[in-house]
Structure formats: C-alpha cells, structure tokens
C-alpha cells in the first residue's frame, strides 16, 4: 500500500506485474485447494469439532480472498492522473474480477482523502458502497464521519484521527458503522497524514476496509473452539466419573478372588476388565461373584448397551439389584425376569444382556439363565464346549418376558468361562477374519492352555494375552471359575 508522507513526494510506483501476477496465481490456487478440502470435510454439523474445523476453513477462504484482492490492487496501482492535469487525491481501487459479485471481498476496500486546508473530502466509489451511502452525495468531512459510527466507538475514532493530525501518527484501528439500512459493519481504517513543505499536516488519506465477514468468521472460530473445549472438558469429566463409578462397583480383583467360605474353598475365581482401544468408551459391562447366605455362589456377567457415565450408573443399579435379589434367594431365571421388569420401568429406555449362575458346592451343580447373552463355556479334559442356552431375550426388550433355566453337573477340575460380547470383534459365532474361525472357536481353542494352567488367574491372563490387544473396538469383562473340590 503506498504511503505518501509528504505533499511534495510522489507516490511509490507499483511493483512489476509479473512478480505480483505469480503471487496472485499462487493465492488463487491455494484458495481452490482449501475450498476443495472444505467441501470434502463437510459433515452433518452436529459434532463440535466438525463445526470448529468448518469455521476455520471458512476463515481461511475469506483471508485468501482478501489476499487475492489486495494483490490485484498492488498490481494495478492507484488510478492515473486525469489528462487535464488536475491531480485527484490518492484513491486505491480494487481490481475488478471476472464474474465477481458486487458484494464480494473485491468491493470491500475503499479509500478517502481529507484536505485540511480546503475542508474538502474525496472518497472512492467503494467507500460509498461500504458505508451504504449514495455516491451522488457529498463525501463526509472528518467532523461529519463520526455521525455514522456507533456511539461506543466514536471516542476511539476521534482519538485515532486526533493522533494522526496532531502527532502525525499512522492510523490503524477498527470501528463499527451503522448504515442507512440499520445494518452494522466493521471497518478497518489505515492512514497517514500528508505533510506540507513547512512540516505541518495539510491532509489525511486513509484506506478503509470492510472486515465484517472476516470478523464474523473469526468470531465463529472462537465460538466453535470454545464449544469444542467445553465439550472436551465435559467428556473428560464424564470419563472420570464413569471410571470412578466402575471401579467403585466392580470387585477390585488384582489376583484370584477368595470368597469368605465357611468351609473348604470349592471355586477358584478370577476376573478381568478389558477396556476399549478408545479410552473414552467406558461402557456398562460388569462381572461379579458373591457367596450367598445358603452357601451357594453367584456368578454373573452382563452388559448394558451404550457408553458414558449414564450407562455406567445404570450398570451399577442393575448390579446392585442382582446382588440384592440373589441374596434374597431368587433363582436365576426369576431374577432375570425381575431385572427385565426393572429396566422396563426406568425413565430412560435401556437394553442389556446378562448371564446369571448359582453354583452349589455340595452337589457341584450349576443352575443358570441368560438374557440375550453368550452362553458360558465349559472346559473339561483338555476340550471345551458351549453350554446349551435356555430361552431368554435381551433385558428391556419385551415387557413381561420370562427366562428359562438350565442345570449342569460339574466335576473337579472343570473350568467355566463367562464373558461379555465385547471380548472379541464381530458377532458371536459369526465367521471373522481369522481364516473363517468364529469367535467361539477362538475361545474353545484355548482349552489346552487352560488345561495346563494351575489357577483361574493364569487362565484369565491367557485370555487377556489373546484378546486384550490395542485394537479392541469395545470394552469387555471375563470371569473364570475353576472347580477345585
């Protein structure tokens, strides 16, 4: 931008067209690339991070459009002196772009000069357009200009003009104007005083730029960034609450669990929670083992659909209900029917699955029921099989559902494995990517390693080694019970 500082000094000539043309080409190419990426990245707009990214893309495009316009002005320079020899004040006009709409950024830069000796003002046509005034009308003087400015910005404009005229300081600041149609525009003003031969200020020139859209884009970036940060803080808080609630509810097993048996220990128990690869996915999976008042042992695993603190709190409610009804002597089938009724009565609809087992050590019998859940696996003599599942639908799916029970006789050395369906990727029993091997086959193939293991904890460690990789899509629980006597 030319910067005349003396009335006796001519304005600088524009740079060579070739170098500026190259910059214009680069700016337009970059704008096209950014615009293409912006279109490809457009989503539904519900995610805070997507809104923030889209706002940044819009801001980048606005700034590149501005850069294109300013480079075109730099290439073309100011208007030439008329042939009649009467010099006009410096007026920087944007270059017209082929097919550019009148309201584009190319028409948002205007210029003006105020002559202090004659009290005359000269404006470019673009400045009239920015301020929404009729080009046929007179240009406003420096004393009249504040009448267009918002009242709270008038003092700022007066201070900038005074500093320029009195102290010869350059003007560089923004203020808001109210156009005749009541719309408010943000104008960025840059200018300098023009000094006479005696060093006094004879006039002041300025370039005024409508930056309303740019500031609106920047404001959108700030707002979407703040919204994203708020969303992230909220997600971190919910994540912490979900983890704390889960740790408070699930048994804190770090090795084999020893229930407070009144007689000889009949089950060797161990369990483990396997988190998803994305740590934010804290779900409603649970495992539990509890010695009941009649000497039986309750074994249960389950999963409430969804993720987050609300689901974790729902899991805590269900686990508490399971424990309470089991302690009251409720059998597995009836227990699941009552849990289904509880979910059906909650305000927030929810679905879940579960396996509930009662093990009686005196007879070594296992009575169990399931609600839309993978059946327990029984390992005996180096081989494994899936227990035949009694009828049972998902919890919360059907009002008044009933759940069947099955009974299995166990032997010393038998091993039971209960797990939630997130333990392996894909549907339970469906062919996966391991050469057609199904999820259940992968677990049954662990039978020789289980047979060589001495404790339930060693079996759990084997499962974790096999299924606890970094690419887990969902969290899961596994519970192992080994009959010792």
């Amino acid at each position: 931008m030319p910067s005349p500082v003396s009335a006796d000094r001519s304005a600088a000539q524009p740079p060579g067209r070739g170098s500026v043309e190259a910059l214009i080409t680069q700016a337009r190419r970059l704008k096209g690339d950014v615009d293409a990426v912006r279109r490809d990245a457009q989503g539904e707009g519900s995610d805070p991070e997507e809104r923030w990214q889209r706002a940044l893309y819009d801001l980048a495009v606005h700034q590149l459009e501005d850069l294109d316009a300013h480079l075109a002005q730099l290439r073309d320079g100011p208007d030439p002196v008329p042939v009649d020899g009467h010099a006009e004040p410096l007026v920087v006009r944007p270059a017209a772009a082929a097919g550019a709409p009148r309201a584009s950024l190319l028409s948002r830069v205007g210029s003006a000069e105020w002559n202090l000796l004659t009290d005359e003002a000269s404006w470019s046509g673009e400045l009239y357009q920015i301020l929404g005034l009729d080009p046929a009308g007179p240009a406003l003087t420096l004393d009249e200009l504040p009448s267009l400015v918002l009242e709270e910005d008038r003092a700022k404009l007066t201070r900038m003009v005074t500093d320029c005229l009195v102290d010869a300081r350059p003007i560089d600041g923004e203020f808001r104007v109210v156009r005749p149609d009541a719309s408010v525009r943000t104008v960025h003003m840059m200018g300098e005083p023009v000094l006479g031969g005696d060093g006094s200020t004879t006039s002041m020139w300025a370039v005024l730029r409508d930056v309303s859209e740019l500031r609106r884009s920047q404001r959108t970036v700030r707002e979407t960034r703040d919204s994203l940060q708020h969303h992230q803080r909220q997600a971190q808080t919910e994540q912490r609450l979900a983890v704390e609630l889960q740790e408070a509810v699930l048994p804190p097993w770090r090795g084999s669990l020893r229930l407070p048996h009144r007689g000889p220990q009949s089950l060797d128990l161990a369990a483990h929670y396997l988190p998803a690869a994305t740590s934010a996915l804290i779900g409603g999976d649970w495992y539990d083992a509890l010695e009941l008042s009649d000497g039986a042992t309750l074994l249960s695993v389950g999963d409430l659909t969804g993720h987050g603190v609300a689901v974790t709190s729902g899991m805590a409610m269900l686990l508490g209900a399971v424990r309470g009804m089991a302690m009251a002597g409720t059998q597995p089938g009836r227990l699941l029917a009552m849990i289904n009724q509880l979910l059906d009565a909650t305000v927030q609809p929810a679905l879940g699955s579960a396996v509930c087992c009662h093990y009686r050590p005196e007879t070594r019998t296992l009575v169990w029921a399931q609600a839309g859940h993978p059946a327990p696996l029984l390992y005996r003599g180096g081989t494994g099989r899936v227990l035949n599942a009694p009828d049972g639908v998902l919890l919360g799916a059907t009002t008044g559902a009933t759940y069947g029970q099955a009974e299995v006789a166990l032997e010393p050395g038998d091993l039971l494995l209960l797990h939630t369906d997130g333990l392996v990727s894909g549907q339970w029993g469906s062919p996966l990517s391991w050469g057609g091997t199904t999820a259940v086959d992968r677990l049954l193939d662990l039978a020789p390693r289980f047979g060589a293991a001495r404790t339930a904890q060693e079996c759990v460690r084997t499962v974790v080694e096999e299924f606890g990789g970094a690419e887990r899509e969902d969290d899961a629980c596994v519970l192992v019970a080994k009959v010792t006597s």
Side-chain angles (χ1 to χ4, degrees):
M1 176 174 56
S3 245
V5 295
S6 172
D8 298 328
R9 183 183 304 172
S10 60
Q13 295 301 312
R17 294 178 62 91
S19 59
V20 179
E21 283 287 0
L23 291 175
I24 292 174
T25 300
Q26 293 177 25
R28 291 177 179 175
R29 183 183 299 115
L30 180 58
K31 174 185 172 295
D33 293 342
V34 173
D35 201 30
V37 174
R38 176 179 63 170
R39 290 194 302 268
D40 293 340
Q42 285 181 349
E44 298 179 356
S46 58
D47 181 69
E49 185 169 357
E50 288 182 0
R51 294 198 301 269
W52 171 71
Q53 290 175 345
R54 189 166 57 254
L56 279 177
Y57 282 131
D58 292 341
L59 177 59
V61 170
H62 279 314
Q63 291 176 327
L64 288 170
E65 288 175 343
D66 272 357
L67 178 61
D68 184 11
H70 298 330
L71 288 174
Q73 292 178 0
L74 186 62
R75 174 195 60 196
D76 298 336
D79 286 348
V81 176
V83 294
D84 59 7
H86 296 288
E88 292 184 353
L90 176 67
V91 177
V92 179
R93 301 184 185 277
R102 184 163 180 80
S104 70
L105 284 173
L106 295 178
S107 62
R108 293 179 187 165
V109 181
S111 57
E113 184 169 354
W114 290 273
N115 191 313
L116 303 184
L117 302 180
T118 63
D119 200 25
E120 293 177 342
S122 299
W123 286 6
S124 69
E126 291 78 16
L127 184 54
Y128 281 97
Q129 182 181 347
I130 290 173
L131 301 179
L133 300 178
D134 184 1
L140 301 184
T141 66
L142 288 176
D143 292 332
E144 296 169 334
L145 184 61
S147 64
L148 300 178
V149 179
L150 278 179
E151 184 175 355
E152 51 265 40
D153 289 354
R154 290 175 185 172
K156 180 179 181 180
L157 175 61
T158 300
R159 183 171 61 253
M160 290 193 302
V161 171
T162 301
D163 290 343
C164 179
L165 299 181
V166 176
D167 299 326
R169 295 180 183 176
I171 290 179
D172 188 356
E174 293 182 6
F175 52 88
R176 291 165 295 172
V177 298
V178 182
R179 297 172 19 141
D181 61 1
S183 62
V184 177
R185 309 298 294 180
T186 302
V187 176
H188 183 212
M189 184 177 187
M190 297 183 66
E192 291 182 356
V194 179
L195 306 181
D198 59 356
S200 63
T201 303
T202 61
S203 62
M204 186 188 83
W205 67 270
V207 173
L208 294 93
R209 176 184 172 209
D210 184 352
V211 294
S212 303
E213 296 302 325
L214 180 61
R215 296 296 175 256
R216 185 177 295 111
S217 295
Q218 292 173 333
R219 184 167 59 252
T220 301
V221 169
R222 288 194 301 270
E223 291 172 352
T224 54
R225 180 199 60 206
D226 294 343
S227 175
L228 175 61
Q229 291 176 345
H230 173 74
H231 179 79
Q232 291 173 335
R233 287 192 297 268
Q234 186 178 31
Q236 291 171 355
T237 300
E238 291 183 358
Q239 164 81 0
R240 186 180 67 254
L241 290 175
V243 170
E244 292 176 353
L245 182 57
Q246 183 190 63
E247 291 178 346
V249 171
L250 297 184
W253 296 354
R254 296 295 180 266
S256 297
L257 175 69
R258 297 187 179 275
L259 298 175
H261 292 283
R262 290 183 291 273
Q265 182 180 0
S266 58
L267 289 178
D268 178 19
L269 299 168
H272 192 80
Y273 171 78
L274 292 86
T278 303
S279 59
L281 298 178
I282 301 296
D285 294 60
W286 83 80
Y287 59 83
D288 196 25
L290 180 67
E291 186 176 27
L292 305 178
S293 56
D294 60 358
T297 299
L298 167 71
L299 305 175
S300 71
V301 296
D303 181 13
L304 198 61
T305 57
H307 300 90
V309 65
V311 173
T312 308
S313 62
M315 176 270 289
M317 175 194 70
L318 288 187
L319 183 54
V322 168
R323 289 171 173 171
M325 286 186 282
M327 288 298 292
T330 307
Q331 290 299 301
R334 178 58 180 162
L335 188 151
L336 290 180
M338 296 178 71
I339 291 296
N340 179 72
Q341 186 176 354
L342 175 62
L343 275 182
D344 191 47
T346 56
V347 176
Q348 295 294 335
L351 290 174
S353 66
V355 166
C356 183
C357 308
H358 280 191
Y359 176 70
R360 297 190 176 278
E362 65 275 11
T363 59
R364 287 197 292 271
T365 56
L366 182 79
V367 179
W368 70 284
Q370 64 85 27
H373 199 88
L377 306 182
L378 174 61
Y379 298 85
R380 177 183 295 169
T383 62
R385 67 181 179 90
V386 183
L387 296 182
N388 294 324
D391 294 336
V393 299
L394 285 171
L395 299 171
T398 304
T399 302
T402 58
Y403 296 84
Q405 291 187 168
E407 184 172 325
V408 181
L410 302 182
E411 300 176 1
D414 284 354
L415 186 141
L416 279 173
L417 188 148
L418 285 67
H419 68 91
T420 56
D421 58 4
L423 184 62
V424 289
S425 302
Q427 296 295 322
W428 176 254
S430 63
L432 299 178
S433 59
W434 304 287
T437 303
T438 64
V440 64
D441 290 335
R442 289 190 68 204
L443 285 168
L444 294 177
D445 288 344
L446 297 178
R449 297 173 65 181
F450 287 165
R454 294 175 298 174
T455 65
Q457 183 62 31
E458 290 182 14
C459 296
V460 167
R461 191 176 298 115
T462 298
V463 174
V464 173
E465 291 174 357
E466 186 71 19
F467 298 99
E471 301 303 321
R472 298 192 47 76
E473 297 178 359
D474 197 5
D475 54 351
C477 293
V478 59
L479 170 62
V480 171
K482 187 173 184 179
V483 180
T484 58
S485 61

